[in-house]
């Protein structure tokens, strides 16, 4: 059991929301830093041009990050559904095996009792 599982649903939702805000803030800061590093080598840009290039670069970086996160969420949902289906199949096979074993034990006991 994880620490999150012990929390009430509203606290988990609050934690997830805070975590989302922190991740978004970190992504924005990373985009700004990357944009500044990119434009640092372009000495020929005027200050206004540098700010515009940084703004556009940061916006594109954020869009790529968002798209990556969305792909990750979709793939996570796909994997969850695949694993849940596999688990359900495993449970059904296990139950069928246990029932078959039980039936075999009962049938064997009946054959032994009848033959005695």
């Amino acid at each position: 059991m994880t620490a999150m599982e012990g929390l009430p649903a509203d606290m988990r939702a609050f934690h997830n929301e805070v975590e989302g805000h922190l991740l978004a803030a970190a992504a924005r800061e990373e985009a700004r830093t990357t944009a500044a590093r990119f434009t640092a080598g372009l000495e020929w840009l005027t200050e206004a041009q540098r700010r515009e290039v940084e703004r556009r670069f940061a916006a594109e970086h954020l869009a790529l990050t968002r798209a990556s996160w969305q792909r990750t969420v979709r793939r996570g949902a796909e994997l969850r559904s695949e694993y849940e289906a596999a688990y359900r199949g495993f449970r059904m096979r296990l139950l069928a095996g246990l029932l078959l074993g039980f039936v075999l034990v009962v049938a064997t006991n009946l054959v032994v009792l009848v033959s005695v």
Side-chain angles (χ1 to χ4, degrees), residues 61-81:
H61 189 278
L62 281 174
L64 291 171
T65 300
R66 185 177 299 114
S68 174
W69 288 352
Q70 288 170 341
R71 282 191 305 274
T72 301
V73 167
R74 277 194 306 273
R75 183 62 182 141
E78 290 171 2
L79 287 174
R80 179 184 185 111
S81 121

Side-chain angles (χ1 to χ4, degrees), residues 23-103:
L23 284 170
R28 281 191 297 274
E29 183 57 34
E30 179 184 3
R32 282 191 290 269
T33 303
T34 305
R37 201 171 47 241
F38 175 75
T39 59
L42 306 174
E43 296 88 19
W44 49 268
L45 289 175
T46 66
E47 191 57 37
Q49 290 171 331
R50 182 179 315 280
R51 282 193 307 270
E52 179 63 17
V53 169
E54 285 180 5
R55 185 190 66 75
R56 288 183 183 200
F57 189 100
E60 184 63 26
H61 189 278
L62 281 174
L64 291 171
T65 300
R66 185 177 299 114
S68 174
W69 288 352
Q70 288 170 341
R71 282 191 305 274
T72 301
V73 167
R74 277 194 306 273
R75 183 62 182 141
E78 290 171 2
L79 287 174
R80 179 184 185 111
S81 121
E82 289 174 19
Y83 283 120
E84 285 175 347
Y87 180 71
R88 280 192 303 274
F90 170 73
R91 271 193 334 207
M92 293 297 288
R93 288 190 303 278
L94 182 62
L95 179 60
L98 288 173
L99 287 175
L100 179 63
F102 179 73
V103 167

